[in-house]
Amino acid sequence: MQSFGIGVWLLSSLEGAGQHQVTVKTAVEAEQSYRSFSFFCISTSGQGTVGSEQDREDKLGAGIFTKRQNYVWVRCALSSMARGSTHARHLYHHCLLQLLLLLLPCQQFASHLVDGGGIPTTLDGLFTPVTRAFDRSLRQGSADVPLSDPRLAPRARPPCPEQITLAASAEPTSLWVSWVTGRAQVGSHLTPLDPAAVRSEVWYGERAGHHPRVATGSAEVYSQLYPYPGLLNYTSGVIHHVRLVNLTPSTRYYYRCGDGSLPEGGLSDERSFRTLPAPAPDAYPRRVAVVGDLGLTGNSTSTVDHLAKNDPSLILMVGDMAYANQYLTTGGTGVSCFSCSFPDAPIRESYQPRWDGWARFMEPLASRVPMMVIEGNHEMEPQGHDGAVTFASYSARFAVPAEESASNTEFYYSFDAGGIHFIMLGAYVDYNRTGAQYSWLEKDLRRVDRVVTPWVVASWHSPWYNSYASHYQEFECMRQQMEGLLYQHGVDIVFSGHVHAYERMNRVFNYTLDTCGPVYITIGDGGNIEKIDIDHADDPGKCPSPGDNTPEFGGICHLNFTSGPAKGRFCWQRQPEWSAFRESSFGHGILEVVNSTYALWTWHRNQDTYGEDSVGDQIYIVRQPKECLIQSRSV
């Protein structure tokens, strides 16, 4: 372990006027328990101190600030960090950046930190496009983990709860707890369980082993029914959703869920969670993990294990989760291409017990960290005659702040976490300007107070900007309908999945480089059974035809570019200028917001779990609210 310290002497008080002259001294010393960065400013009187260490309950602490008349003290701590690891270094830079932004009057010190940080920022300009070639020593895909695996098999006997999952509400004063009781059934003639037979209760409090408060909720059962000979039906266990209210932000709670009236086995064992910070420009979730197209393969388990080691306080799951529709209703072995393997299937079948296995696998993480989901195409799962019913499993299994955010639907919603306003949009429901989603989005963006929540982060499944051959220009219609609204309201970052690879864009609007446009990031490389995408639309012979990549929802709006190097063409002949970096590797991302203008984005490849000296991609995303005045933007 290492400890880094920088002492900063100010020749005048921080409260004083005028420009400060700064001398920077550094020291590195070994520690066994943790690495920390300490900083203090001392006035010319020489009176300074290093303030007391605050509560570090979560070990991975954000910056802790104490300000007095003549000094400021900051401490950042990270427990159990390997010596010299890349993650340790980027957290060191993260701490340095906190000090830089705190000490804006100390211009020489600020310049020293920026120049020496080594991590690029979006202020460095529009980056020359970079492609890191697929590492052929890695597997392009892997098989699904079988349901017999102990991580996927049932671990609790009914009526004890299992598949416990948390979700944020619209504000950090409330939170959703979901779980399943009873056993799901697969067969031809099924009798669904009675949701009213078991209570939906959460017992909770602020001390371990002490649960004085009780909240109640609702329960439901869903079915997946196929009116075709030879196909099996499914009916779920009882799915419970309880919303806890009047919580204190940034507070640890301990809870048990289930039915407290049962004499034995009615309640789960004790779990805990920490509520998200209240909306404020100086309070943020410590780490936001972002993952898409996860599935349940060997690669998927590596992604989740790696993500869990990064200890997030919030998870964004940008669609395509269990991949239950890569199976026949009879189960068996999942396939990477359903239509290729089963061309005579009467409907896109699914094996719903994969959802139960996926939820059990995610439970150790999702029962302590809120996981926010949005639907992808693999959640459609048509059933009934001609596939008239869709999204039954997605709609029943996940609690989202639909009513709280006034969307009143699980297909799009919003919520706050500290100084970030998150918007989750639906790519597989009506997104046209005349529709309900667009109207809701317009109202939601107008309600955002950028003084309180400076950052606006949007997510949906299918990317608008994508230079891979897979899904190229597939959701161009959605982009043409909605992009102007997001740009007009200054959305900062957009996360999507769908393409099974990683790509980060330069700031862009309407295919034109624009320093006020959002940073679009494709993170659909979670590890699913459909394998990694490696072909780019600008590779020789890989440009799709305009008739390819038909979306499973919405129209086709493919276009040829009207300006720039690709003018008159459907595909670029080199990596597009709006594509800053791309690589075909499985992994996940971590967003760490520092303050109202700086956020550190890191993409972790699964192979980086085994190598301490590299990350896949890393950049500080910098907001420029003065240069990009929201009210003055024209579309």
Side-chain angles (χ1 to χ4, degrees), residues 280-573:
D282 57 356
Y284 296 93
R286 185 184 62 251
R287 289 181 183 168
V288 179
V290 189
V291 63
D293 301 69
L294 183 59
L296 198 49
T297 67
N299 287 317
S300 310
T301 62
S302 296
T303 298
V304 174
D305 289 347
H306 197 181
L307 185 155
K309 288 179 181 178
N310 281 326
D311 197 20
S313 49
L314 176 67
I315 302 169
L316 296 185
M317 189 74 65
V318 295
D320 284 4
M321 288 164 269
Y323 283 79
N325 66 345
Q326 300 299 116
Y327 289 77
L328 296 175
T329 62
T330 51
T333 302
V335 296
S336 61
C337 175
F338 185 90
S339 61
C340 305
S341 299
F342 311 114
D344 298 325
I347 194 172
R348 180 66 180 266
E349 301 178 33
S350 71
Y351 187 58
Q352 291 293 300
R354 295 296 302 181
W355 272 109
D356 296 306
W358 188 86
R360 294 183 190 112
F361 176 75
M362 295 299 298
E363 180 181 344
L365 181 62
S367 62
R368 61 181 177 85
V369 179
M371 182 174 69
M372 309 307 294
V373 302
I374 198 64
E375 78 279 2
N377 55 302
H378 283 273
E379 278 72 63
M380 293 183 76
E381 299 180 331
Q383 61 172 301
H385 290 285
D386 299 321
V389 178
T390 55
F391 294 107
S393 180
Y394 170 80
S395 299
R397 290 179 180 272
F398 298 105
V400 299
E403 182 179 348
E404 305 100 280
S405 64
S407 73
N408 297 314
T409 174
E410 65 273 12
F411 296 116
Y412 51 90
Y413 60 91
S414 65
F415 65 99
D416 290 334
I420 313 172
H421 183 69
F422 288 97
I423 299 174
M424 312 293 279
L425 296 179
Y428 297 91
V429 293
D430 185 10
Y431 46 68
N432 291 309
R433 293 190 184 103
T434 56
Q437 180 176 200
Y438 188 95
S439 176
W440 168 84
L441 175 61
E442 194 170 28
K443 294 174 183 176
D444 188 81
L445 287 168
R446 286 176 179 171
R447 284 194 294 264
V448 176
D449 184 348
R450 300 302 280 265
V451 174
V452 178
T453 52
W455 290 86
V456 176
V457 175
S459 298
W460 59 87
H461 182 60
S462 308
W464 295 347
Y465 290 93
N466 163 38
S467 66
Y468 285 82
S470 179
H471 304 301
Y472 182 75
Q473 284 202 23
E474 186 175 299
F475 272 75
E476 180 62 18
C477 291
M478 185 183 182
R479 184 194 70 81
Q480 293 178 20
Q481 292 293 313
M482 286 187 156
E483 184 182 22
L485 185 59
L486 299 187
Y487 178 80
Q488 186 176 9
H489 287 272
V491 170
D492 300 297
I493 307 172
V494 172
F495 293 114
S496 296
H498 202 41
V499 177
H500 302 158
Y502 174 77
E503 186 169 19
R504 172 176 52 83
M505 315 306 156
N506 280 311
R507 291 189 179 274
V508 61
F509 170 65
N510 196 26
Y511 290 112
T512 302
L513 298 177
D514 189 319
T515 55
C516 293
V519 175
Y520 289 86
I521 296 173
T522 299
I523 189 83
D525 58 340
N528 67 81
I529 197 172
E530 289 184 325
K531 301 182 180 180
I532 202 79
D533 288 323
I534 60 175
D535 294 330
H536 307 111
D538 49 276
D539 291 340
K542 298 299 183 180
C543 178
S545 69
D548 294 338
N549 295 333
T550 301
E552 294 179 63
F553 179 86
I556 298 175
C557 300
H558 296 158
L559 54 77
N560 288 348
F561 295 98
T562 57
S563 61
K567 183 177 181 179
R569 298 189 183 95
F570 183 54
C571 296
W572 285 61
Q573 294 182 313

Side-chain angles (χ1 to χ4, degrees), residues 10 31 85 94 102 105 138 146 212 219 222 236 242 246 287 295 314 316 334 340 388 398 411 434 457 460 504 580 605:
L10 297 188
E31 289 186 0
S85 70
H94 183 80
L102 183 69
L138 302 173
Y222 82 92
S236 72
V242 174
N246 298 322
R287 289 181 183 168
L314 176 67
L316 296 185
C340 305
F398 298 105
F411 296 116
T434 56
V457 175
W460 59 87
R504 172 176 52 83
R605 304 175 302 177

Side-chain angles (χ1 to χ4, degrees), residues 264-275:
E264 185 176 350
L267 290 174
S268 69
D269 57 357
E270 184 180 72
R271 315 292 175 95
S272 74
F273 61 86
R274 187 175 180 84
T275 50

